[in-house]
Amino acid sequence: MATSAEKAAGGGTAVEKPAEKVVDKRRALGRGLESLLGGPRAVATPSPGPAALAATPSEANSGVIAEIQAQAARASIGDTVQSVPLDSIDKNPYQTRLYFDQDALQELADSIAASGLAQPIVVRPGQGGRYVLILGERRCRASKLAGKETIPAIVRRVSDQQAAEMTVVENLQRQDLNCMEQASAFGKLSRDFELTQEQIGKRVGVSRESVANYMRLLKLPGTVMQYLQAGQLDFSHARTLLRLNDNDLIAKIADQAVAKHMSGMQLEDLVDDVSMNIHRGPDEGQPGRARWVDPNVRAAQMQLERVLGLRVRIRDRKGKGKIVIEYSTVDDYDRLVSMLRGKS
């Protein structure tokens, strides 16, 4: 799907707003690109005329003054928009996004053909008069689809590490980012620039724990990573599978999850059963042999089922676990909520 930021690029506005995939992360990411770019990413506009610069403080608006100052700062570092031939732009070596929705690209291309591209891409100088893309791959692809030969671009002189960080931050702000693409982005920063998880988190505006959780996906078997890349499994499935320490077993369970289109909860149940040494054959009808279960846990489960009149499952591992209560009708749900709130 097209992201809100890049749809905006094709629809006539120059402001990108991070999507709310995870609220706290998106807020943190808001400062990431600004710090890496050194200022607002907007199309350069003509400098204000003498009358505007001569305005008295009472006539001047603080927002206008701030914008004038920002324009001067951008001009001082050469951050102006120029027209760059599309065939002179080389691909971004740090781009981890592999999937681009073709329908969304065509929509953006149609918009560019009709109204032009309001928000420039960002490139850096390459060799032999060429450029290397940093930000705006969708805009480049859509512009080519629209039959454009040139594209508005900001040329920035940045290091390899800065270019990689800018790419990662922009990708993280995309609502449809694949979890394996995100994991690969963190992995590149770690591998290519020897950054710690703490350093990566600070640079791109996420917690160290989040970086660690995504980088763990890179330890999964290749077939499982392919499932994640293709969208057949998601991040919640991956985290559940990582509770198993045997890669062969992880791959086998992942195959079952994909074949049976398991939800996250169904996969959790299966992994819980495996962790509790419930051995099942490949066929559902094959009898199994269950490990001894704490009678206190079983008794508590039965008691809850009698009280609630619903199926209850308790998963306990060394004093930690979860209680799952299942309901099948809206009436059951309303009754359960009332009971939990202490109402008759």
Side-chain angles (χ1 to χ4, degrees):
M1 291 180 63
T3 63
S4 59
E6 296 203 335
K7 280 186 177 178
T13 177
V15 180
E16 285 193 353
K17 294 183 180 180
E20 289 191 16
K21 180 181 177 184
V22 180
V23 175
D24 290 338
K25 185 177 84 170
R26 297 300 172 201
R27 288 174 180 165
L29 287 173
R31 68 174 182 271
L33 279 174
E34 283 192 14
S35 63
L36 292 171
L37 286 169
R41 292 190 297 157
V43 178
T45 55
S47 300
L53 293 174
T56 63
S58 61
E59 296 170 330
N61 179 280
S62 59
V64 174
I65 293 174
E67 177 58 21
I68 292 172
Q69 293 172 339
Q71 289 181 22
R74 289 197 295 274
S76 68
I77 60 173
D79 197 9
T80 56
V81 176
Q82 57 184 284
S83 183
V84 173
L86 279 163
D87 59 8
S88 69
I89 301 173
D90 295 324
K91 67 178 183 179
N92 184 349
Y94 301 106
Q95 177 62 262
T96 57
R97 179 179 290 279
L98 302 177
Y99 175 74
F100 294 85
D101 185 281
Q102 292 304 310
D103 292 336
L105 276 178
Q106 189 59 56
E107 288 180 6
L108 182 55
D110 294 341
S111 177
I112 291 172
S115 307
L117 184 64
Q119 183 172 9
I121 63 170
V122 180
V123 298
R124 55 180 175 147
Q127 295 181 348
R130 298 186 64 79
Y131 300 91
V132 180
L133 184 64
I134 301 177
L135 305 177
E137 183 159 345
R138 285 189 72 253
R139 280 163 276 168
C140 275
R141 293 188 180 211
S143 294
K144 290 178 181 178
L145 283 176
K148 300 293 184 180
E149 294 183 356
T150 62
I151 189 170
I154 296 173
V155 181
R156 302 296 307 276
R157 295 185 180 274
V158 297
S159 67
D160 288 347
Q161 181 172 331
Q162 287 174 314
E165 291 173 3
M166 290 163 66
T167 302
V168 171
V169 171
E170 186 188 48
N171 281 342
L172 291 179
Q173 291 179 344
R174 300 296 183 239
Q175 187 174 17
D176 61 341
L177 187 68
N178 182 283
C179 64
M180 279 309 305
E181 293 172 333
Q182 187 161 327
S184 297
F186 291 149
K188 273 184 173 289
L189 290 178
S190 174
R191 181 177 63 255
D192 294 354
F193 306 108
E194 299 182 351
L195 297 178
T196 66
Q197 293 174 356
E198 183 76 25
Q199 290 171 327
I200 293 172
K202 288 180 178 179
R203 279 167 166 76
V204 303
V206 299
S207 68
R208 185 202 64 79
E209 291 76 13
S210 180
V211 175
N213 285 334
Y214 277 99
M215 289 186 67
R216 288 180 67 207
L217 304 187
L218 301 176
K219 299 179 180 180
L220 288 166
T223 55
V224 180
M225 288 194 282
Q226 290 175 7
Y227 287 143
L228 292 167
Q229 185 66 57
Q232 294 172 285
L233 297 176
D234 60 26
F235 185 60
S236 64
H237 289 113
R239 293 195 64 179
T240 299
L241 289 169
L242 282 166
R243 285 162 38 191
L244 303 169
N245 296 319
D246 186 325
N247 275 352
D248 290 337
L249 183 58
I250 288 175
K252 181 179 178 181
I253 297 300
D255 288 343
Q256 292 184 43
V258 171
K260 297 180 180 180
H261 304 286
M262 289 185 181
S263 66
M265 182 174 292
Q266 289 172 326
L267 181 59
E268 281 190 27
D269 290 340
L270 178 57
V271 169
D272 284 341
D273 288 345
V274 171
S275 298
M276 295 170 67
N277 289 336
I278 297 179
H279 304 291
R280 295 174 180 168
D283 299 324
E284 293 183 0
Q286 183 172 338
R289 176 173 57 87
R291 177 188 173 187
W292 174 83
V293 178
D294 189 329
N296 292 321
V297 173
R298 183 182 290 110
Q301 180 172 295
M302 294 175 63
Q303 184 177 5
L304 281 172
E305 288 182 339
R306 285 195 297 268
V307 172
L308 299 175
L310 300 170
R311 185 186 177 195
V312 177
R313 289 172 294 162
I314 299 178
R315 301 296 189 188
D316 179 82
R317 294 187 299 274
K318 298 180 180 180
K320 296 181 180 180
K322 62 183 178 181
I323 299 175
V324 178
I325 304 173
E326 296 184 7
Y327 61 88
S328 56
T329 67
V330 175
D331 289 339
D332 284 343
Y333 171 80
D334 290 337
R335 180 169 57 83
L336 174 61
V337 171
S338 295
M339 294 177 69
L340 292 175
R341 289 176 175 173
K343 299 178 181 179
S344 59

